[in-house]
Amino acid sequence: MEKPEFILAAKAMETLEMYQTFYGHSQQYQEHQQEVLTLLRHKGASLLVSEHGQAKFLLAFADALEAASLPGEYVPLSRR
Protein backbone atom coordinates (compact mmCIF):
# COMPACT_ATOMS: atom_id res chain seq x y z
CA MET A 1 0.00 0.00 0.00
CA GLU A 2 1.29 3.43 -0.91
CA LYS A 3 1.73 6.03 1.78
CA PRO A 4 -0.86 8.83 1.78
CA GLU A 5 1.75 11.59 1.77
CA PHE A 6 3.29 10.18 -1.43
CA ILE A 7 -0.13 9.98 -3.08
CA LEU A 8 -0.82 13.60 -2.11
CA ALA A 9 2.57 14.70 -3.46
CA ALA A 10 1.92 12.90 -6.76
CA LYS A 11 -1.52 14.51 -7.06
CA ALA A 12 0.02 17.92 -6.36
CA MET A 13 2.55 17.36 -9.16
CA GLU A 14 -0.19 16.24 -11.56
CA THR A 15 -2.19 19.35 -10.70
CA LEU A 16 0.77 21.67 -11.23
CA GLU A 17 1.58 19.99 -14.55
CA MET A 18 -2.04 20.49 -15.67
CA TYR A 19 -1.95 24.17 -14.67
CA GLN A 20 1.38 24.62 -16.43
CA THR A 21 -0.08 23.09 -19.60
CA PHE A 22 -2.93 25.60 -19.58
CA TYR A 23 -1.20 28.69 -18.23
CA GLY A 24 2.55 28.28 -18.84
CA HIS A 25 4.33 30.34 -16.19
CA SER A 26 1.84 33.21 -16.24
CA GLN A 27 0.39 34.96 -13.22
CA GLN A 28 -2.53 32.51 -13.21
CA TYR A 29 -0.11 29.59 -12.92
CA GLN A 30 1.71 31.33 -10.07
CA GLU A 31 -1.58 31.81 -8.22
CA HIS A 32 -2.55 28.15 -8.64
CA GLN A 33 0.94 27.07 -7.59
CA GLN A 34 0.59 29.08 -4.37
CA GLU A 35 -2.76 27.40 -3.69
CA VAL A 36 -1.18 23.96 -4.08
CA LEU A 37 1.76 24.91 -1.84
CA THR A 38 -0.65 26.26 0.78
CA LEU A 39 -2.64 23.03 0.73
CA LEU A 40 0.50 20.90 1.10
CA ARG A 41 1.78 23.04 3.96
CA HIS A 42 -1.59 23.07 5.70
CA LYS A 43 -1.83 19.27 5.51
CA GLY A 44 1.78 18.93 6.69
CA ALA A 45 1.21 21.28 9.61
CA SER A 46 -1.92 19.39 10.64
CA LEU A 47 0.08 16.15 10.79
CA LEU A 48 2.86 17.55 12.99
CA VAL A 49 0.95 16.52 16.12
CA SER A 50 0.68 12.84 15.25
CA GLU A 51 2.62 11.86 12.12
CA HIS A 52 6.00 13.58 12.19
CA GLY A 53 7.49 11.73 9.21
CA GLN A 54 4.54 12.44 6.95
CA ALA A 55 4.39 16.05 8.10
CA LYS A 56 8.09 16.66 7.47
CA PHE A 57 7.86 15.07 4.03
CA LEU A 58 4.91 17.25 2.94
CA LEU A 59 6.47 20.43 4.31
CA ALA A 60 9.81 19.69 2.65
CA PHE A 61 8.08 18.75 -0.60
CA ALA A 62 6.23 22.09 -0.64
CA ASP A 63 9.52 23.89 0.02
CA ALA A 64 11.19 21.99 -2.82
CA LEU A 65 8.39 22.84 -5.25
CA GLU A 66 8.68 26.49 -4.32
CA ALA A 67 12.48 26.48 -4.61
CA ALA A 68 12.25 24.86 -8.04
CA SER A 69 10.22 27.79 -9.35
CA LEU A 70 12.54 30.51 -8.02
CA PRO A 71 15.02 32.18 -10.35
CA GLY A 72 18.73 31.75 -9.80
CA GLU A 73 20.85 28.98 -8.42
CA TYR A 74 19.61 26.74 -5.63
CA VAL A 75 21.62 27.00 -2.42
CA PRO A 76 21.33 23.87 -0.24
CA LEU A 77 20.42 24.32 3.41
CA SER A 78 23.88 23.13 4.42
CA ARG A 79 25.44 26.12 2.60
CA ARG A 80 23.03 28.81 3.84
Side-chain angles (χ1 to χ4, degrees):
M1 182 164 93
E2 290 192 41
K3 295 184 175 190
E5 67 272 23
F6 296 157
I7 294 169
L8 182 58
K11 296 246 184 244
M13 288 298 300
E14 289 173 9
T15 301
L16 289 175
E17 288 171 356
M18 180 191 68
Y19 289 145
Q20 190 172 32
T21 299
F22 289 114
Y23 302 118
H25 285 285
S26 69
Q27 180 64 29
Q28 288 176 310
Y29 173 77
Q30 300 300 323
E31 291 170 7
H32 287 300
Q33 181 188 31
Q34 285 304 313
E35 290 173 8
V36 170
L37 294 175
T38 299
L39 289 170
L40 287 170
R41 289 182 173 130
H42 177 73
K43 181 63 176 173
S46 71
L47 291 171
L48 278 174
V49 175
S50 59
E51 301 292 335
H52 297 290
Q54 291 176 6
K56 289 190 287 184
F57 172 80
L58 289 174
L59 294 170
F61 185 71
D63 289 348
L65 286 176
E66 186 173 34
S69 68
L70 296 174
E73 181 182 343
Y74 173 70
V75 178
L77 286 174
S78 61
R79 291 191 353 211
R80 292 184 199 174

